[in-house]
Amino acid sequence: VAWRTPQFWLLWVVLCSNVTAGIGILEQASPMIQEMFPGKVLAAAAGGFVALLSLFNMGGRFIWSSLSDYTGRKVIYVIYLLLGAILYCLIPLAGRSGSAAFFVALCAIIISMYGGGFATVPAYLKDLFGTMQVGAIHGRLLTAWSVAGILGPVLVNYIRVYLKGRGASGVGLYAPTMYLMAGLLVVALICNLSLRPVAERFYFKGKLDSK
């Protein structure tokens, strides 16, 4: 019955937006860094960049989700979404400044929070709905990941192709998409801040619950 609550759908939007933004960078990382820094970053270095992002994705799942045990899930998602929106807006600035190191650092932090957001969701669901049926609820929530897995790369690639056809190059191919991703995270932030405890009839207590 969790899917009948507004809390489920608010969290669905949060997860979908966070994953859309993160996977959009992860899937287009190699061409993005090469086109934003033409002549400075070659294919081999771009491959190393993709590998680095994968490490931050994995590390973020452990570090950020562990931190959420101390901050609470709602607070950690405020960090993911608010900081993430700021970092996305800084990516075009990094490209225009010509600093590949700044660009890499921004993307690494973003991808770590993408991984952290994905790993923190089960605990967030447990806090909202209790432990008894969290596995089934999580399975339904993963439809957000499925949608985002298509939406993120399609958005980045479609907008890139469209802008390239209109004569854009370098940073201009990706800046509008980065601002769009930041906007998605702001929408998710509003949804996260709107989350309230569910009615008692939707909270299923198990042995691990103390609520």
Side-chain angles (χ1 to χ4, degrees), residues 57-138:
N57 178 19
M58 180 177 64
R61 293 172 186 248
F62 292 100
I63 295 170
W64 288 109
S65 59
S66 298
L67 183 60
S68 75
D69 291 336
Y70 300 96
T71 65
R73 320 306 172 191
K74 192 170 187 176
V75 171
I76 203 71
Y77 267 91
V78 168
I79 295 172
Y80 295 154
L81 301 169
L82 181 58
L83 179 58
I86 294 170
L87 296 180
Y88 271 100
C89 289
L90 289 176
I91 285 179
L93 177 63
R96 295 187 184 102
S97 72
S99 175
F102 184 32
F103 173 83
V104 169
L106 292 173
C107 291
I109 297 171
I110 286 170
I111 294 302
S112 77
M113 293 191 295
Y114 155 75
F118 194 75
T120 310
V121 158
Y124 208 163
L125 287 172
K126 186 268 294 181
D127 293 347
L128 283 172
F129 299 104
T131 59
M132 187 174 292
Q133 299 188 39
V134 70
I137 299 169
H138 185 234

Side-chain angles (χ1 to χ4, degrees), residues 9-23 77 81 114 118 121 141-152 181 184-185 188:
W9 293 106
L10 286 169
L11 194 54
W12 193 97
V13 173
V14 169
L15 180 62
C16 187
S17 299
N18 188 54
V19 173
T20 296
I23 208 167
Y77 267 91
L81 301 169
Y114 155 75
F118 194 75
V121 158
L141 190 69
L142 286 181
T143 57
W145 180 85
S146 301
V147 171
I150 298 172
L151 189 60
M181 297 302 183
L184 282 176
L185 294 185

Side-chain angles (χ1 to χ4, degrees), residues 32-42 91 94-101 103-104 170:
M32 184 186 299
I33 194 170
Q34 291 181 75
E35 290 176 326
M36 290 185 74
F37 302 96
K40 292 185 178 180
V41 178
L42 303 179
I91 285 179
R96 295 187 184 102
S97 72
S99 175
F103 173 83
V104 169

